[in-house]
Amino acid sequence: MTLEDHKAAPSVCRVQGDIADKEAWPEVGQVAVLAKHLCGHSTDLGIASAINLGERLSLLCLAPCCHATMSWNLLAPESQAWFEELGINDAKEFALLTDVIRLSRVGKTEAGRPTPCSKWRLREHIDPSEIETMGRLACRAIDESRLVRLRRGGLDVALIEYCTTDLTPDNVLILASPTNVQEAMPLIPVGLDTTCSKPANYGVLLELDPTAPLTMQYRLMSYLNEQQQNRFPSLQTVVPIADLLATRVPGLICSAAEQGLVETLVAELAHCPLIKRAVTRLLPFVDLATDTLTLTRDVVTNASGQDGPKPTFRVFSRPRQLEQKLCAAFAQEWLSPTEYTHALCVWSTNPDNAVETGTDVPVIKKLEESAAADGFNESMGPDKPSHDTPVIASNDLSLEFRYAVLPRQTLDMSDWAATRQADMGDRGFWRCYEVAARWPRRFEAAKAVALWTDTSSSASWVNTWADHFLPVGAATFELQLQDGLEEVRVHPAREGCGTGTGHASILLCDVCASGHDAIDMLRAVLVACRRNSGSPLAGTGTAVLRLRCGRKPRTIKQWLRDIAKLLEVKLSASRVELLHLLNDRDVERTAVFEWGSIDTKHAPVDNNEF
């Protein structure tokens, strides 16, 4: 993947300010309004700002929350008018909605304790089995009033569920775009499925590494949705798999836009190296079977009707224990674990029962004994080889299997595993690769790059990175901070690059330090380079640095604020982004920022202040 693959990515600038302040918004250019979770009436302020942008609005994407904190007096006039049409006319009646929402959240643990609720009196009037549904309906009523307001502002709108309710009860997304934009380039897909509960009929199941961090599933979902337009155009939706095996082997279901695009989607996913590092197996599916008897019979029937050499299969299943059961259902001449021509990918919607239910029928059973069940020609026997050789299956009825048969040249799972193992190289390289691949605008003007490392390894990956994302022959350097933090040793990584060749406006950091000490050491590198007239570093540029954070959500939020401020103070950093990449561990974040001119006359700020 090269920089040219991402030229279509939009230019982005971050604006910090009061959402209600009209002066805080950019004065020119198209604006996309994105927010997650915009609490209570803040969502209404975001909607008002989007409407006021008029034709300059390209997309509104809001995930509202904290509906229970809202009050009648602060509702927009359009929302009040909509509620009045339904018979809700004042603050007292509107408070019933928010009371129901509060009651529906009682017992839900947040930060280790139940959400408080003072409206216990409503328990006498509401069936406990219905309270969660009623709470969701009350939230939906408030969000529906917002949709009405957006429609009256001349926008096309949609309300979708972007995750399941077990992750968060506030799982709704408000999408809106101007009608003229929607007609020219639809930002809200036509016929968009508004729920996460409906299973996909065709697509690809991505099975993740069971040893990966718990958050990997949602980081990968974010990446797929982010890159859908540029990298995965055949992808329609992505949802976590919710079978009984998901707690041990997490996965994602990627549904294809059309059944005929499944093979294209497989190719798009397989071509992405970042997907290959996170996903152990791809299991496409286009067909449905209720039992192994039907599945194996249909596979052989379809294969027998094909022209050319007889195909052979290798079975890949979820759960993996199902592979033995399915292999026992085929005559051996249809199977080849190494020289197969087609991959049979199967996953069960009930993986535990798929292995435990049913009794295997011996493969050597005579065709005459199973002809009635299998539906094959009774004249065909084991001594009469044919593409119609019978399939003997298990009698595990009432199960559901989704499956697909793909040529090996389309999906070679053996090659996938081997390539994936070979690509598990330097994490520093893949971290910097991911940043440049996902946010190429940060690097598109650069003509030279420097790698700061504290290892003595002579095999540098900086040239490989530069070949992917910089112009051909771009200058590359390695920097090493010497003892005493006063001097930096510069080593040209590419032949023909002298220490004074150009000025690198990209600094990739691959060091063991990952906390405040890493920021202090990076400051020392920048100060030493500034003092050295022959330094390859430019006066300002983009840096990529790995940092280590805490584990608890509240701790991480405070850490993010402190680290962003520390980078600004110590490194004169701007455009600071603290990212949780696919290549990061749970306790890691990647800082991407622009370093500035460091004031060397004053002592650095004490880390204890943060």
Side-chain angles (χ1 to χ4, degrees):
M1 180 167 50
T2 66
L3 182 62
E4 296 300 323
D5 297 327
H6 300 273
K7 288 295 186 181
S11 177
V12 176
C13 67
R14 171 167 289 185
V15 177
Q16 293 182 339
D18 188 340
I19 193 172
D21 182 6
K22 295 182 180 180
E23 302 299 324
W25 294 85
E27 296 180 358
V28 296
Q30 293 297 111
V31 178
V33 181
L34 312 175
K36 176 186 182 306
H37 282 165
L38 201 56
C39 299
H41 288 288
S42 298
T43 295
D44 297 322
L45 292 175
I47 290 173
S49 300
I51 293 174
N52 290 336
L53 286 169
E55 295 182 355
R56 293 180 55 213
L57 177 71
S58 61
L59 175 67
L60 172 70
C61 179
L62 301 179
C65 69
C66 302
H67 298 74
T69 66
M70 299 179 66
S71 63
W72 174 263
N73 294 334
L74 294 179
L75 287 178
E78 297 90 343
S79 296
Q80 288 184 346
W82 184 80
F83 276 115
E84 289 171 352
E85 292 177 2
L86 300 180
I88 299 176
N89 299 296
D90 55 31
K92 184 177 180 179
E93 293 176 348
F94 182 78
L96 289 174
L97 284 179
T98 57
D99 287 348
V100 169
I101 296 171
R102 290 191 188 96
L103 189 60
S104 70
R105 304 294 172 88
V106 171
K108 301 289 184 183
T109 56
E110 293 183 3
R113 60 182 183 274
T115 305
C117 177
S118 60
K119 304 298 181 181
W120 294 99
R121 59 184 178 84
L122 289 178
R123 282 196 178 278
E124 301 176 2
H125 308 284
I126 300 177
D127 187 336
S129 64
E130 298 178 353
I131 184 57
E132 284 199 26
T133 301
M134 293 187 67
R136 288 180 59 79
L137 290 174
C139 290
R140 178 62 186 268
I142 295 174
D143 290 335
E144 195 65 36
S145 73
R146 291 163 165 164
L147 298 185
V148 170
R149 184 182 178 193
L150 288 166
R151 290 191 187 100
R152 291 176 180 175
L155 301 175
D156 286 332
V157 299
L159 191 70
I160 69 168
E161 294 180 8
Y162 65 90
C163 68
T164 54
T165 54
D166 57 349
L167 181 63
T168 173
D170 296 313
N171 66 332
V172 172
L173 198 65
I174 296 175
L175 295 175
S177 66
T179 302
N180 58 338
V181 173
Q182 181 71 4
E183 293 174 353
M185 184 182 67
L187 299 176
I188 304 174
V190 178
L192 181 66
D193 186 1
T194 60
T195 67
C196 295
S197 57
K198 183 180 178 180
N201 293 322
Y202 33 81
V204 183
L205 189 155
L206 305 182
E207 201 168 66
L208 277 59
D209 187 343
T211 64
L214 297 176
T215 58
M216 176 59 73
Q217 187 177 39
Y218 296 101
R219 279 184 273 161
L220 186 56
M221 280 182 61
S222 175
Y223 172 72
L224 290 167
N225 286 319
E226 167 197 310
Q227 299 291 326
Q228 179 178 4
Q229 183 175 354
N230 292 333
R231 291 227 57 177
F232 312 110
S234 302
L235 176 66
Q236 185 175 44
T237 57
V238 186
V239 296
I241 192 168
D243 61 22
L244 299 178
L245 189 61
T247 56
R248 303 189 297 274
V249 185
L252 298 175
I253 298 177
C254 302
S255 62
E258 300 176 9
Q259 182 172 353
L261 293 177
V262 170
E263 288 195 25
T264 304
L265 178 58
V266 169
E268 292 168 357
L269 294 168
H271 184 64
C272 178
L274 297 178
I275 295 290
K276 191 166 293 186
R277 285 179 58 82
V279 174
T280 56
R281 298 194 301 171
L282 289 80
L283 301 177
F285 55 95
V286 294
D287 293 307
L288 175 68
T290 56
D291 53 72
T292 54
L293 170 65
T294 304
L295 189 157
T296 50
R297 180 178 58 193
D298 290 348
V299 168
V300 170
T301 300
N302 293 334
S304 300
Q306 297 178 3
D307 297 331
K310 176 182 175 181
T312 54
F313 305 103
R314 178 171 175 180
V315 180
F316 300 92
S317 70
R318 175 186 172 91
R320 291 177 184 263
Q321 298 93 318
L322 182 60
E323 292 177 8
Q324 182 178 2
K325 190 179 188 70
L326 290 168
C327 288
F330 283 96
Q332 290 302 307
E333 63 186 83
W334 289 101
L335 303 174
S336 177
T338 57
E339 302 299 326
Y340 62 95
T341 62
H342 289 72
L344 171 59
C345 302
V346 185
W347 65 277
S348 171
T349 56
N350 193 350
D352 287 356
N353 288 344
V355 176
E356 297 172 1
T357 308
T359 304
D360 289 331
V361 181
V363 176
I364 60 173
K365 186 177 182 180
K366 293 182 180 180
L367 175 63
E368 289 78 8
E369 298 177 9
S370 60
D374 294 335
F376 285 91
N377 188 340
E378 295 187 26
S379 64
M380 290 291 182
D383 58 339
K384 298 180 181 180
S386 165
H387 284 202
D388 291 334
T389 302
V391 176
I392 311 299
S394 308
N395 59 353
D396 48 347
L397 301 177
S398 74
L399 295 176
E400 186 174 273
F401 300 95
R402 298 182 182 272
Y403 69 96
V405 178
L406 266 67
R408 187 170 183 174
Q409 59 265 31
T410 301
L411 178 62
D412 190 337
M413 206 76 74
S414 302
D415 180 68
W416 174 275
T419 306
R420 182 174 184 274
Q421 188 64 33
D423 284 345
M424 288 298 175
D426 197 304
R427 292 181 66 242
F429 167 78
W430 286 109
R431 175 178 295 105
C432 297
Y433 180 100
E434 181 176 350
V435 171
R438 296 175 68 173
W439 297 280
R441 297 273 181 177
R442 288 268 199 173
F443 308 91
E444 63 181 359
K447 297 181 180 179
V449 57
L451 169 66
W452 168 40
T453 177
D454 58 2
T455 65
S456 57
S457 173
S458 59
S460 170
W461 46 259
V462 67
N463 288 339
T464 305
W465 185 94
D467 291 340
H468 275 93
F469 302 106
L470 299 187
V472 176
T476 58
F477 306 91
E478 285 187 14
L479 309 180
Q480 288 193 336
L481 190 61
Q482 302 300 294
D483 294 339
L485 306 181
E486 297 291 337
E487 184 179 349
V488 172
R489 184 176 68 84
V490 180
H491 171 68
R494 196 189 298 275
E495 292 184 5
C497 296
T499 56
T501 305
H503 287 288
S505 58
I506 300 175
L507 179 59
L508 309 178
C509 306
D510 183 21
V511 293
C512 295
S514 59
H516 288 185
D517 52 343
I519 297 176
D520 290 336
M521 293 171 65
L522 179 54
R523 175 186 170 87
V525 169
L526 295 174
V527 170
C529 287
R530 184 181 177 187
R531 290 171 179 166
N532 183 358
S533 59
S535 167
L537 280 186
T540 183
T542 300
V544 180
L545 175 67
R546 175 181 68 98
L547 295 171
R548 187 176 180 86
C549 63
R551 290 181 179 274
K552 296 181 179 179
R554 287 194 175 184
T555 303
I556 292 176
K557 288 181 179 180
Q558 184 62 46
W559 178 89
L560 292 171
R561 289 191 290 267
D562 291 346
I563 287 295
K565 186 175 180 181
L566 190 63
L567 290 169
E568 292 171 355
V569 171
K570 287 199 169 187
L571 305 179
S572 297
S574 60
R575 297 182 65 193
V576 177
E577 298 280 355
L578 296 171
L579 309 168
H580 202 183
L581 303 177
L582 296 176
N583 288 282
D584 287 333
R585 296 188 173 98
D586 263 0
V587 294
E588 291 178 339
R589 296 296 186 273
T590 296
V592 184
F593 56 91
E594 289 186 4
W595 77 82
S597 179
I598 299 176
D599 185 1
T600 59
K601 296 180 181 180
H602 298 85
V605 178
D606 189 350
N607 290 332
N608 293 328
E609 296 183 16
F610 295 90

